[in-house]
Amino acid sequence: MIDISIIKCLADNYSYLIRDRKTNIVGVIDPSEFSPVDLEIKKTYKKLDFVLNTHHHHDHVGGNIDLKKKYNSKIVCSSYDKKRIPGADIVKNDGDEFCLGSISFKVMHIPGHTLGHIAFYSLKANIIF
């Protein structure tokens, strides 16, 4: 179904490298910085199809541009944050669906931490980011 690797970033953040086993599509959630994420990608899948951002703070998007350049990844974000997310390609609204291969995520607008904060929820994979 889904493989998840937890990547320690900065002093106290984590990014999540995810892969759909069925289609081999790979994504990363909130890449705080390029180097540790790139290192994990090199050790595991050798590719990155999508970057999923939950909100615009630098400690969640700091690796976006370098990852996009190296892997030609598409960056997914909230429509509220499209002008604040570096490299935004795919814009989602509350209730929209995003598919990472065969894994469907429901996009949930959850303002509070930031106005444009979103979560990615997969009922099938029983996980929320």
Side-chain angles (χ1 to χ4, degrees):
M1 163 76 73
I2 188 170
D3 293 319
I4 302 171
S5 301
I6 300 171
I7 306 167
K8 186 170 176 30
C9 296
L10 303 173
D12 64 349
N13 278 41
Y14 296 93
S15 296
Y16 304 91
L17 190 63
I18 59 176
R19 180 180 71 101
D20 175 24
R21 290 181 194 156
K22 186 175 184 179
T23 64
N24 200 38
I25 299 295
V26 179
V28 66
I29 313 293
D30 290 340
S32 302
E33 56 183 330
F34 173 77
S35 294
V37 174
D38 183 49
L39 183 64
E40 185 65 26
I41 292 168
K42 283 190 228 178
K43 287 191 318 189
T44 55
Y45 312 122
K46 315 284 191 270
K47 70 176 204 140
L48 180 67
D49 301 295
F50 295 100
V51 173
L52 288 74
N53 290 133
T54 61
H55 66 287
H56 70 274
H57 287 161
H58 184 73
D59 62 340
H60 289 254
V61 301
N64 277 19
I65 296 301
D66 290 335
L67 290 167
K68 182 176 181 169
K69 284 180 187 175
K70 182 168 183 176
Y71 295 101
N72 197 28
S73 308
K74 297 295 182 196
I75 298 175
V76 183
C77 69
S78 165
S79 61
Y80 294 97
D81 275 348
K82 66 183 175 186
K83 293 183 180 175
R84 295 186 282 195
I85 300 280
D89 295 301
I90 301 168
V91 177
K92 295 294 182 176
N93 293 301
D94 184 46
D96 285 352
E97 179 183 59
F98 173 75
C99 291
L100 186 103
S102 67
I103 302 167
S104 176
F105 288 93
K106 180 179 178 182
V107 175
M108 301 168 63
H109 182 220
I110 53 168
H113 180 61
T114 66
L115 179 62
H117 202 141
I118 58 173
F120 295 92
Y121 171 62
S122 174
L123 178 64
K124 184 178 177 183
N126 192 33
I127 196 158
I128 189 166
F129 295 100

